Amino acid sequence: MAVKPILPPAMLGILGGGQLGRMFATAAKTMGYRVTVLDPDQSAPAADFADVHIARPYTDPDALAELARTCAAITTEFENVNADSMRWLAAQGVPVSPSGDCVAIAQDRVSEKNFIRNAGLATAPFLAVSNAGDLEGDISAYLPGILKTARLGYDGKGQVRVKTAEEARLALSDLKHQPCVLEKMMPLVAEVSAIVARTSKTEIACFPVAENEHANGILDVSIVPARVDAAIAARARQMAMQLAEKLDYVGVLAVEFFVLEDDELVINEMAPRPHNSGHYTLDATLTSQFEQQVRTMCHLYPGKTDLLRPTVMVNLLGDVWGEHGGEPRWDVLLTAPNVKLHLYGKKEARAGRKMGHFNVLAASADEALEQADAIKDTLR
């Protein structure tokens, strides 16, 4: 029997109040829903658009009880939320998407990679490292590689490139002997991502594939459509949807891929939420990834994902504000009729901190990229 949809003006809850929560809240409010944000930060960006902001820890029993009592459905904006909190909320009879079990898999790189492999999908060669003994013996199959903490790493944090076994052992010491995974570095041609919205087995949609370029471990630019062979893009979408099916996933799932020299496609990692590389959807597709998050958690069919125009998304980090915190030259952005600026409402600009992004829509991806690069050069 079909699940009854959750309709406005129902209250929707979200764990986390950062920029992804802010954009979720904006989408939900636009659609007529009300929003409760649980985030311990009193100045959480999502609170600007929320009806209710519960400024308590994610494990606070009273806060969770209030969510369970007042919300018709609950989601999350980041994978490092307490998975047991999500399981507890689901046990109270509130629809929670994605599930705590899906989030728990994504929280641990070893669990994540093993799940991907067991789903019949390819990853780079990897070695689970629970202690120094795991790096003894012949580990040449994983070198040169990247030693990554199994948990809590993001935007290049908790990652060390290593060429030899000795470097790997030193890196493990530098990472304080946390559980890690050693991944072999692959001959990359490009990095791409596919974002899936899934309500059920028969209700699933995938956005156009984005081509991603990073700087210092942080996403810098996403180019849509990705400048890869159409067959590779189609395979990325198929693999992302296959992973969502194996997870029995409900919600928005981002899957990042490496495109190798032989056109092989391997999964790098997944994110159980909207993704930085999907911010282009705010302006360039019929439905944004944040509307999809609302639709899937409310048991609605995912919206259409047609690309309206080739687009380049550029991250705006705190570095753009300069040493003295002066505002960037927004006039460069706001006087261009085909450029859309999105700022996240964060109070303090810091180096490496995501403060906003802009989308450039043009007749071709190359034209959009050329304009985006020119704007980047003139913001400061």
Side-chain angles (χ1 to χ4, degrees):
M1 186 174 69
V3 179
K4 186 177 180 180
I6 297 167
L7 302 174
M11 178 74 83
L12 306 180
I14 184 165
L15 302 171
Q19 65 264 22
L20 299 180
R22 180 185 178 96
M23 289 180 271
F24 163 84
T26 304
K29 295 286 287 182
T30 299
M31 297 168 71
Y33 293 93
R34 294 172 295 139
V35 176
T36 294
V37 170
L38 173 59
D39 191 302
D41 183 0
Q42 292 283 355
S43 58
D48 290 346
F49 293 91
D51 296 273
V52 178
H53 175 205
I54 305 172
R56 293 183 184 177
Y58 300 114
T59 54
D60 184 279
D62 292 336
L64 294 173
E66 182 176 346
L67 279 179
R69 185 177 66 255
T70 61
C71 295
I74 296 169
T75 188
T76 182
E77 68 137 17
F78 70 122
E79 57 265 46
N80 290 324
V81 70
N82 187 282
D84 285 336
S85 293
M86 300 183 73
R87 293 183 179 113
W88 183 87
L89 288 165
Q92 309 315 302
V94 185
V96 176
S97 61
S99 69
D101 290 345
C102 287
V103 169
I105 291 169
Q107 286 176 341
D108 184 277
R109 292 184 190 277
V110 177
S111 297
E112 177 184 81
K113 291 182 181 300
N114 282 328
F115 189 94
I116 292 167
R117 286 274 186 90
N118 291 335
L121 300 167
T123 70
F126 69 92
L127 174 68
V129 181
S130 57
N131 56 61
D134 293 325
L135 294 175
E136 300 297 335
D138 184 9
I139 60 170
S140 58
Y142 311 103
L143 297 171
I146 305 177
L147 189 71
K148 302 178 179 180
T149 56
R151 300 178 70 87
L152 299 178
Y154 66 97
D155 287 345
K157 295 178 176 64
Q159 301 185 15
V160 183
R161 295 191 176 201
V162 295
K163 295 180 181 177
T164 65
E166 180 60 26
E167 286 184 4
R169 289 188 283 270
L170 289 172
L172 183 64
S173 178
D174 289 342
L175 294 172
K176 305 186 186 307
H177 293 273
Q178 300 176 68
C180 290
V181 60
L182 177 61
E183 298 178 16
K184 182 175 178 61
M185 293 181 65
M186 307 299 285
L188 301 187
V189 172
E191 296 182 48
V192 300
S193 58
I195 297 175
V196 174
R198 184 179 184 273
T199 303
S200 69
K201 186 173 184 178
T202 58
E203 299 174 341
I204 187 168
C206 189
F207 285 101
V209 173
E211 176 186 352
N212 303 316
E213 297 178 353
H214 295 76
N216 300 317
I218 303 174
L219 181 65
D220 181 29
V221 170
S222 289
I223 303 160
V224 188
R227 298 170 299 177
V228 297
D229 188 86
I232 294 175
R235 201 171 348 130
R237 291 193 298 271
Q238 183 275 325
M239 291 172 68
M241 289 190 286
Q242 181 178 335
L243 182 57
E245 292 286 356
K246 291 290 185 180
L247 286 162
D248 195 19
Y249 195 87
V250 176
V252 173
L253 176 71
V255 185
E256 296 182 82
F257 299 86
F258 296 144
V259 182
L260 307 184
E261 289 178 347
D262 57 0
D263 285 348
E264 185 183 358
L265 203 57
V266 300
I267 295 178
N268 175 31
E269 60 186 20
M270 64 181 181
R273 51 168 173 78
H275 193 258
N276 197 167
S277 67
H279 289 348
Y280 77 91
T281 65
L282 285 165
D283 301 304
T285 52
L286 283 174
T287 310
S288 78
Q289 63 173 342
F290 300 100
E291 181 180 338
Q292 298 285 50
Q293 188 176 18
V294 176
R295 296 180 71 86
T296 53
M297 73 186 294
C298 293
H299 314 305
L300 301 172
Y301 198 92
K304 293 283 189 179
T305 58
D306 304 56
L307 185 67
L308 303 175
R309 203 160 173 81
T311 303
V312 167
M313 187 283 301
V314 179
N315 262 338
L316 292 169
L317 304 183
D319 313 61
V320 178
W321 273 249
E323 294 180 11
H324 305 293
E327 289 292 323
R329 290 194 54 200
W330 299 132
D331 58 304
V332 176
L333 282 164
L334 296 177
T335 56
N338 63 321
V339 178
K340 304 291 187 178
L341 175 63
H342 299 265
L343 295 178
Y344 301 154
K346 296 182 179 179
K347 308 301 182 188
E348 180 187 357
R350 299 192 300 267
R353 190 184 196 194
K354 294 173 183 175
M355 299 294 293
H357 70 271
F358 65 89
N359 290 325
V360 180
L361 289 77
S364 69
D366 288 338
E367 184 180 324
L369 183 60
E370 182 179 357
Q371 185 177 356
D373 286 339
I375 291 173
K376 285 169 63 179
D377 291 340
T378 57
L379 282 179
R380 281 202 275 181

